[in-house]
């Protein structure tokens, strides 16, 4: 069971890779599943929204957004999140807040309630710190 649990955690990354390696024959690549145009995660062009990076990078970002929103939705459905906290977390995820997306990558599947706690604390800590030359805050 441990091997299966570990493997299932790789599913979002594998799905993102699949959708960016030619599953869609046009210029538009699907980032996170078979979604229609106009929906979040619909068609994304190479380099769109990531400062010019490749589509795999964009797909990985949308995969983390999907994980974050999925965890938030699950917690909201069960009443574990207030409507206000749900709104804050969804807004941060879809705007690409890297603090929230990194937490989603590591917590959203195994510990969604911990994801929400950490993400809310990070958001409430203030604006994103600015990275200086040399990778220091």
């Amino acid at each position: 069971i441990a091997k299966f649990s570990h493997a299932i955690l790789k599913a979002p990354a594998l799905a993102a890779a699949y959708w960016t390696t030619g599953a869609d024959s046009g210029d538009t690549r699907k980032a996170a599943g078979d979604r229609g145009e106009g929906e979040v995660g619909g068609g994304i062009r190479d380099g769109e929204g990531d400062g010019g990076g490749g589509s795999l990078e964009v797909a990985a970002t949308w995969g983390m957004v999907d994980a974050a929103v999925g965890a938030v939705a699950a917690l909201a459905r069960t009443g574990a999140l207030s409507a206000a906290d749900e709104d804050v977390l969804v807004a941060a995820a879809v705007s690409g807040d890297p603090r929230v997306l990194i937490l989603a990558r590591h917590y959203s599947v195994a510990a969604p309630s911990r994801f929400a706690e950490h993400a809310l604390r990070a958001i409430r800590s203030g604006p994103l710190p600015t990275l200086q030359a040399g990778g220091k805050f």
Side-chain angles (χ1 to χ4, degrees):
I1 293 177
K3 287 183 181 180
F4 178 74
S5 297
H6 182 70
I8 198 95
L9 293 175
K10 301 284 185 190
L14 292 171
Y18 169 79
W19 287 108
T20 59
T21 57
D24 186 5
S25 61
D27 286 29
T28 301
R29 309 278 170 95
K30 300 279 183 164
D34 188 17
R35 294 187 170 103
E37 291 297 321
E39 294 181 41
V40 172
I44 296 177
R45 288 177 181 74
D46 286 347
E48 181 179 323
D50 69 347
S55 60
L56 184 58
E57 185 178 324
V58 173
T61 300
W62 279 110
M64 289 186 291
V65 170
D66 187 46
V69 172
V72 170
L75 291 168
R77 263 192 312 273
T78 64
L81 278 179
S82 69
D85 286 347
E86 177 186 9
D87 290 344
V88 166
L89 290 171
V90 168
V94 299
S95 70
D97 185 323
R99 299 170 296 187
V100 173
L101 299 183
I102 290 167
L103 289 165
R105 172 185 279 166
H106 297 284
Y107 286 93
S108 65
V109 173
S113 61
R114 296 292 294 156
F115 157 71
E117 292 169 17
H118 291 310
L120 286 167
R121 186 172 42 255
I123 292 165
R124 291 176 179 146
S125 71
L128 286 170
T130 304
L131 207 60
Q132 299 172 1
K136 298 181 181 181
F137 289 104

